Amino acid sequence: MDGGVAAGPEELERQGRAAYVRHDYDAVIDLWERAYAGHRAAGDDAGAVRLARDIASLHGVFRGDWAVAGGWLARARRLGDGAGPRERGWVALTTGMFELDRRRKDELYREAMAAAGEAGDGPLQLITMSYYGASLVHGDQVADGMQLLDEALAAVSAGEVADPVGVEEIFCQLFSACEVAYDVDRADQWLRVGTALAARVELPAVSAYCHTHFGGVMTAAGRWSEAERSLLEGIRLWNLSRRSLGAASAARLADLRVRQGRFEEAEALLAELNEDVDSARPRAALALAAGDEGRAREVLERALGQVEEDGLAAVPLLSQLVEVHLAAGHVEQARDAMGRLGADTAGRTPYAAAVAALARGQIAAASGEPGAASHLRDALEEFARAQLPLESARVRMELARACAAERPALAVEEARRALQVFRELQATRYADEATALLRSLGVRTPGARSPELLTAREAEVLELLGLGLSNRQIAERLVLSAKTVEHHVSRILAKLGLRNRSEAAAYAVRNPGAKVAGAD
């Protein structure tokens, strides 16, 4: 206030937006609750409903006080009953944001857009359009959803939404949709527009939600330094709220660490998180790397029970489930998981089509069926279209293994190209596997990393190699799958700079009690 004169609701809203930019969420809530009271006193129900919606979001998202958020949402609904189209639109939008049923959520968004059109409220219509578009994408109506998001972003870039918080909401919905659809190119294009827009007008710092989803997109794109910066910033911003809600950012950072081969850091991040959909994939990957296929399967099936199985969120989970079943030697269960991906994956996104082709190729290779290489080629083409370098390189590894016996020169070429990508990404885990595969094909790989200490499990496997045991015999002795033992052998060869299991056996005999990571 100035000179003893109380600030009006519009001024209190302006001060609240400034506090939002500073991430001072307690101040935002205080200012907007006072502005809400001012709108009510002035008989401005439209302003009151709009603010009640924003206050509900703040209490729920930033404080974690969902009962309080529910109270504000109920207040917005009551004020909107019998009111004009603008008030009804804001109520429908806010209710849709918190609705779990996809069909009902989309109905509410359509109601909000219709009400906004009736009231001539452009910003309400565009904000709702972005939420509706993102919901359609998550529900696997990708083309329609992305068209709405593109339209909303075009309007933003033309200055049709003045409120910086509304601008931020629209961008966040885009990144959320791009993450679940693995649409790197679209995210990149609108990021350039957003950067230019931020230079022209006053925009708030990207919210924690935006950082979380953008970090997920950049992880998939192989731009890991950008992903790490965004996810760490997302965690920092979440921690500014009264209740730390950085689990989504932390889970994505754990996924990045798994891709980088930094398992201990991933485990430390996941130890602080509840088991949910966001953390399922890195948890399953760590369990699989440790040879615990049962645990990996349990994590993935639980996560699949929490998402729409015909939605895009299920696709990466089912892809990983195929890999887990194959690692355990359960080809028919892998085939069942592939069937759950759906028959019409080619009509969905490049990522979904690639995942389905990869699963077909992996299952064909594991069961000795013809056509494995053809399916893997299809997967490689689709992953390349989606601009996903790590997934593309992993398919090249599958191709190299599939054609190693009959076309060794081609296998070497594919493994070399995969190794180049893994090294560029600094994905040490996969670089080790590629190096070991190339050695098994008789190729030395200059520039490989210095030998590392073995894990305790790798030391056990090496000792049994020294006794002349086969992979299956080692698997039986250590109660692991043969596929897991094969993975450990590859890691051992890469770490010790050896070409094949014969050299590993000789090394074990010459060096009994190999040094283990973490040992004195």
Side-chain angles (χ1 to χ4, degrees):
M1 64 185 59
D2 182 19
V5 178
E10 291 79 10
E11 172 60 19
L12 291 169
E13 282 195 61
R14 188 197 66 76
Q15 293 177 18
R17 285 194 293 271
Y20 187 92
V21 172
R22 301 192 304 271
H23 310 298
D24 188 351
Y25 303 116
D26 286 339
V28 178
I29 290 172
D30 175 65
L31 288 162
W32 282 358
E33 286 181 349
R34 288 161 55 196
Y36 164 87
H39 284 303
R40 288 286 290 141
D44 180 7
D45 283 347
V49 167
R50 175 175 47 78
L51 271 183
R53 170 250 185 191
D54 292 337
I55 294 166
S57 296
L58 286 166
H59 276 292
V61 173
F62 292 105
R63 284 185 170 175
D65 294 339
W66 291 103
V68 179
W72 277 101
L73 185 56
R75 193 70 189 126
R77 288 196 191 103
R78 187 173 299 278
L79 289 174
D81 286 344
R86 179 175 286 107
E87 293 89 335
R88 295 199 310 271
W90 282 110
V91 169
L93 167 59
T94 307
T95 306
M97 289 168 57
F98 296 102
E99 174 60 54
L100 298 179
D101 180 76
R102 180 75 60 194
R103 181 173 296 180
R104 178 57 182 154
K105 176 190 286 287
D106 291 347
E107 287 175 357
L108 287 163
Y109 288 150
R110 287 192 291 271
E111 289 176 17
M113 288 180 63
E118 183 182 349
D121 191 329
L124 170 59
Q125 187 173 58
L126 293 167
I127 293 169
T128 306
M129 187 182 293
S130 71
Y131 277 96
Y132 183 33
S135 181
L136 289 176
V137 172
H138 280 262
D140 205 9
Q141 299 182 55
V142 179
D144 291 342
M146 289 302 189
Q147 185 175 21
L148 290 174
L149 283 160
D150 288 343
E151 181 182 348
L153 266 294
V156 166
S157 66
E160 294 184 37
V161 180
D163 180 9
V165 179
V167 171
E168 181 181 80
E169 284 188 89
I170 293 171
F171 270 99
C172 286
Q173 292 309 304
L174 171 80
F175 290 137
S176 171
C178 288
E179 181 184 25
V180 75
Y182 287 79
D183 195 338
V184 173
D185 186 50
R186 178 174 267 102
D188 233 1
Q189 292 181 39
W190 282 116
L191 176 64
R192 290 194 293 271
V193 172
T195 301
L197 181 64
R200 296 200 312 267
V201 300
E202 180 186 357
L203 287 178
V206 178
S207 76
Y209 269 130
C210 284
H211 276 295
T212 296
H213 294 304
F214 181 70
V217 174
M218 291 298 98
T219 295
R223 289 153 59 174
W224 290 352
S225 59
E226 292 177 70
E228 182 168 332
R229 285 196 300 272
S230 192
L231 293 171
L232 288 173
E233 179 65 6
I235 293 172
R236 185 188 73 81
L237 292 177
W238 281 122
N239 288 338
L240 291 175
S241 61
R242 178 172 298 180
R243 176 181 171 187
S244 176
L245 298 174
S249 290
R252 286 163 175 76
L253 185 57
D255 180 54
L256 174 58
R257 294 293 182 247
V258 168
R259 290 167 179 256
Q260 293 170 319
R262 294 159 65 173
F263 285 0
E264 290 184 3
E265 293 176 57
E267 289 171 351
L269 286 163
L270 293 171
E272 302 296 322
L273 305 180
N274 294 327
E275 291 196 10
D276 59 12
V277 173
D278 285 328
S279 68
R281 294 183 66 201
R283 284 187 199 280
L286 290 174
L288 185 59
D292 193 346
E293 292 92 352
R295 167 66 175 154
R297 183 174 62 253
E298 174 190 346
V299 168
L300 292 170
E301 289 287 11
R302 183 183 297 116
L304 283 164
Q306 299 171 17
V307 301
E308 301 162 291
E309 193 150 313
D310 59 349
L312 285 185
V315 173
L317 298 170
L318 288 168
S319 176
Q320 198 170 11
L321 186 60
V322 170
E323 182 181 352
V324 168
H325 282 311
L326 291 177
H330 300 154
V331 176
E332 291 310 310
Q333 287 91 327
R335 205 182 302 276
D336 289 342
M338 180 184 70
R340 292 162 66 184
L341 281 167
D344 190 28
T345 50
R348 297 166 81 180
T349 64
Y351 174 77
V355 161
L358 172 60
R360 288 192 290 269
Q362 289 172 317
I363 291 170
S367 58
E369 299 170 358
S374 176
H375 292 312
L376 293 171
R377 287 287 179 197
D378 290 343
L380 183 60
E381 180 179 344
E382 295 295 343
F383 277 134
R385 280 183 60 204
Q387 301 181 36
L388 304 176
L390 180 67
E391 283 75 9
S392 297
R394 291 189 65 193
V395 173
R396 290 192 185 281
M397 288 287 290
E398 296 283 356
L399 265 171
R401 295 187 185 101
C403 63
E406 297 183 1
R407 304 180 66 184
L410 178 60
V412 168
E413 175 63 21
E414 295 293 355
R416 277 178 167 159
R417 294 180 70 176
L419 178 59
Q420 180 181 354
V421 173
F422 295 147
R423 285 179 171 170
E424 289 172 355
L425 292 174
Q426 297 183 348
T428 57
R429 166 195 179 193
Y430 297 112
D432 287 346
E433 292 181 12
T435 299
L437 178 57
L438 284 166
R439 287 199 177 102
S440 73
L441 294 168
V443 178
R444 293 289 182 182
T445 53
R449 297 181 302 124
S450 300
E452 301 176 20
L453 296 178
L454 303 180
T455 65
R457 179 65 83 185
E458 289 164 352
E460 289 181 296
V461 172
L462 178 61
E463 182 181 357
L464 296 176
L465 284 173
L467 297 177
L469 273 63
S470 67
N471 281 1
R472 185 160 298 281
Q473 290 170 323
I474 295 172
E476 292 172 355
R477 181 78 65 89
L478 299 179
V479 195
L480 300 172
S481 72
K483 185 73 173 178
T484 299
V485 172
E486 179 185 338
H487 170 74
H488 286 311
V489 171
S490 296
R491 293 277 294 174
I492 291 166
L493 297 178
K495 287 184 176 183
L496 300 180
L498 305 172
R499 287 184 55 184
N500 51 47
R501 60 188 301 113
S502 297
E503 289 186 6
Y507 181 95
V509 172
R510 293 195 307 270
N511 301 275
K515 290 185 177 180
V516 178
D520 293 331

